[in-house]
Structure formats: structure tokens, C-alpha cells
Amino acid sequence: VQGWPFPSQPPKKPPPPPPQYTMSSPQDPTSSVLTSETETQSAYRAEYSRYKLDTMNVNERTLDDEFRHILSIVHRQEPLNKQQANFITWEVVEYWKDNINPGFLEYRKSVSDEHTAIEWRDGTDGGGSKFYGIKGKAYIDCLGGYGIYNVGHRHPVVISAVRAQLRKQALHSQELLDPLRAYCAHLLAKIAPGDLKYAFFGNSGTEAVEACIKMTILATKRHHFVALVGGFHGKSLGALACTSKAVFRGPFVPALMKVTHVPRNDIATLKVCTAFPPSPYPSLFARLASATSSSFYSFSFPPSPTPPFFPP
């Protein structure tokens, strides 16, 4: 497979560093303005858009070649031709297989021997539900990034706010107080029902579940959880214990906390499992996790030598 087919020669020297940003009024930090922001972006885009690997074999790339190649993809704004789209698709599949998780490619609907779908850009309708693959095919996003696109792709208010913050400060230092975290928590407290007032910010759903598990243990002093058959709560160790599917839980059952999985709306089974301690036999819980039919009701809980684990 040959190199990335950009139309001209590679640059003779790396892009210049971005210019120093200045304040329009040194006495008033709130009036901080980034100068030459547009010019800097244009310079980087022009620099990387000129880069190509000519006929260099992929295996002959230097580390510098790799970085420049990837940045050229990030900065590219023009449409891709068929050869370019096929080349990126091949690279993505190979790097995913070699450096992320080959098993992931085996069950994804977007990957097959005949066709592989690669995300490339959002639609132009601000706040819409459409995005495009690398070969120009339009997709309607019914998944919504697991809920992150609750106002659609590229909503103009969101884009405007993100661009403004990036021009000012992309990430915070983790040492000083982050003002936006405080403002976001304040808004969530205004929206949340009842007297809920504290916010925990996580990077994923499983991280949020882990926090809930810890808070529950601290508040109740209990360690036996009840979850639903068929429920998915994440794959980190605590959340995995609550996840139902045996293929995820099976290899780790001995290390998982005690969780009983019950069918949805089955009050009788719920009462039984809260009246006795969890089973000391890990295999029982592994079978519980995979139960999806009436066979679930055949399980009998061992007599409890102590008072009920949960109060009535």
C-alpha cells in the first residue's frame, strides 16, 4: 500500500510555533483576546495540507512521518477522493486491529469483509442528527453517542461556546479551581429534583456507576446489590458486577462484589433475594447473570443462618 497522496512536496521545516497571545488591556484580565488565532489556524492547515509521503511504503515511515500524516488528516478540509478514502479506511482497520482491540472488529455491524464504515464529518445542519462516513454516505444518528448528542450534532450554540473556550483555555490545570465546573454543577443543582445539590463529573457511564456504588455503600453500610437480568452498567470492576451478561462477568466472578440479578417486575424473587444473604457460591451468580427465561425461577436460595441481610 502506497503513501498518502497529497499533491505537493513535504515542507522543508516543521510549522512555526503559534504566536504569543496578548491581552488587549493588561490591567483587565477579563478582556483577554487571542491575537492572530485565525492566521495561526490557516498557517498550520496550509503547512500540513502540503505534506505527503510520496511513494514511501507505510513500513518505511519515521515517527515524524507518522505524526505529520495524522495531522494532515486532522487539518484536511477538502473532500477525499476514492483512493484517499480507501487508504484511510485500510489504515484505521489495521491500527484498530493491531493497537486497540481486534475482537471489537468481529462483532461491529459497521465492519465486514465487503464494507467498512468510517466516521468522517458531521452534517451541516446545526443541531441535526446526520453525519457522513469517509466515502460520503449519510447516516442518521439514532444512537446519539450514547446520549452526548442530546441537542444534535454541531448545534450552533454548542459550537460557538466550545470555540470561544478553546480560544481562551482548552483544558484546566487540575490545581486551581476550574470555574466552569462550578457553574455546571450549579446549573445541575437548579435542574435536579428535590434537594439534590452535589455533582460528580465522570468521563463515562461506568465511572458514574462506580461512584454510585461507593456512595451507596457509604450511606447504607450494605454490600449486597440487586440488579436486573439483562441490564448493562459498565465493564469496570464494580459496574461489571451489576452488569448481567455472563460473557462479560464470567472470567471475573471471583473478584466481583456480591450482586443478585432478578427479572424485571418480579417482586416475589426480589423479596426472596433481599431476605437472605447472597449465595456463597460464585457459580450460582454466574448462572444468574445469564438467566433470561423462566429457568431463573428454579434457583433456590440457601437458608440463612443469620437474620435477613436487608431489613424488612
Side-chain angles (χ1 to χ4, degrees), residues 76-116:
R76 185 176 180 86
Q77 301 296 317
E78 301 80 8
L80 300 171
N81 60 37
K82 184 176 181 180
Q83 180 186 6
Q84 294 166 344
N86 288 338
F87 183 68
I88 293 180
T89 299
W90 177 85
E91 283 193 317
V92 168
V93 171
E94 289 299 305
Y95 297 160
W96 198 289
K97 179 177 63 178
D98 293 344
N99 307 122
I100 299 180
N101 183 358
F104 185 88
L105 301 175
E106 296 177 3
Y107 72 89
R108 299 300 294 183
K109 299 180 180 68
S110 56
V111 180
S112 69
D113 293 336
E114 294 79 22
H115 175 74
T116 298

Side-chain angles (χ1 to χ4, degrees), residues 20-304:
Q20 295 295 319
Y21 299 132
T22 60
M23 292 184 180
S24 58
S25 173
Q27 291 78 25
D28 181 12
T30 61
S31 64
S32 175
V33 176
L34 298 184
T35 60
S36 304
E37 185 272 337
T38 303
E39 292 84 348
T40 303
Q41 285 187 338
S42 299
Y44 272 89
R45 185 176 298 116
E47 185 75 17
Y48 287 115
S49 66
R50 291 197 300 269
Y51 180 68
K52 71 170 184 174
L53 297 180
D54 291 319
T55 58
M56 183 186 299
N57 188 285
V58 172
N59 295 325
E60 297 175 354
R61 293 180 190 169
T62 65
L63 184 60
D64 184 66
D65 289 331
E66 295 286 359
F67 276 109
R68 289 182 174 276
H69 171 53
I70 295 168
L71 286 172
S72 72
I73 295 174
V74 172
H75 282 273
R76 185 176 180 86
Q77 301 296 317
E78 301 80 8
L80 300 171
N81 60 37
K82 184 176 181 180
Q83 180 186 6
Q84 294 166 344
N86 288 338
F87 183 68
I88 293 180
T89 299
W90 177 85
E91 283 193 317
V92 168
V93 171
E94 289 299 305
Y95 297 160
W96 198 289
K97 179 177 63 178
D98 293 344
N99 307 122
I100 299 180
N101 183 358
F104 185 88
L105 301 175
E106 296 177 3
Y107 72 89
R108 299 300 294 183
K109 299 180 180 68
S110 56
V111 180
S112 69
D113 293 336
E114 294 79 22
H115 175 74
T116 298
I118 305 292
E119 294 188 24
W120 186 246
R121 65 179 178 87
D122 284 328
T124 56
D125 50 336
S129 59
K130 186 185 297 184
F131 66 91
Y132 291 86
I134 197 169
K135 298 180 180 179
K137 185 176 182 179
Y139 295 86
I140 297 176
D141 187 3
C142 297
L143 185 61
Y146 297 125
I148 62 173
Y149 287 119
N150 59 340
V151 294
H153 290 246
R154 300 188 65 81
H155 192 288
V157 174
V158 175
I159 295 296
S160 175
V162 170
R163 285 175 173 169
Q165 182 62 30
L166 285 175
R167 286 196 295 267
K168 184 168 56 180
Q169 184 184 32
L171 296 170
H172 58 88
S173 68
Q174 300 289 349
E175 175 59 31
L176 280 66
L177 294 182
D178 172 20
L180 293 182
R181 191 186 309 187
Y183 282 121
C184 185
H186 173 70
L187 290 176
L188 289 173
K190 292 285 188 182
I191 298 170
D195 58 355
L196 296 175
K197 58 181 294 187
Y198 293 103
F200 172 84
F201 295 104
N203 297 305
S204 64
T206 192
E207 189 175 346
V209 172
E210 294 285 346
C212 290
I213 290 172
K214 292 177 181 177
M215 293 176 187
T216 302
I217 293 174
L218 289 174
T220 67
K221 312 303 181 187
R222 301 170 184 170
H223 300 83
H224 177 200
F225 285 77
V226 177
L228 290 179
V229 171
F232 180 85
H233 302 283
K235 296 178 183 175
S236 54
L237 204 59
L240 181 61
C242 298
T243 292
S244 171
K245 201 168 185 179
V247 68
F248 296 144
R249 301 177 73 249
F252 308 100
V253 164
L256 300 180
M257 65 181 187
K258 296 177 174 62
V259 177
T260 302
H261 291 83
V262 301
R264 183 169 59 93
N265 295 332
D266 190 338
I267 305 302
T269 303
L270 180 62
K271 288 181 178 180
V272 170
C273 73
T274 56
F276 295 99
S279 170
Y281 309 107
S283 60
L284 172 63
F285 288 91
R287 292 197 299 272
L288 280 172
S290 62
T292 56
S293 65
S294 59
S295 62
F296 179 89
Y297 300 98
S298 65
F299 290 109
S300 59
F301 291 84
S304 173

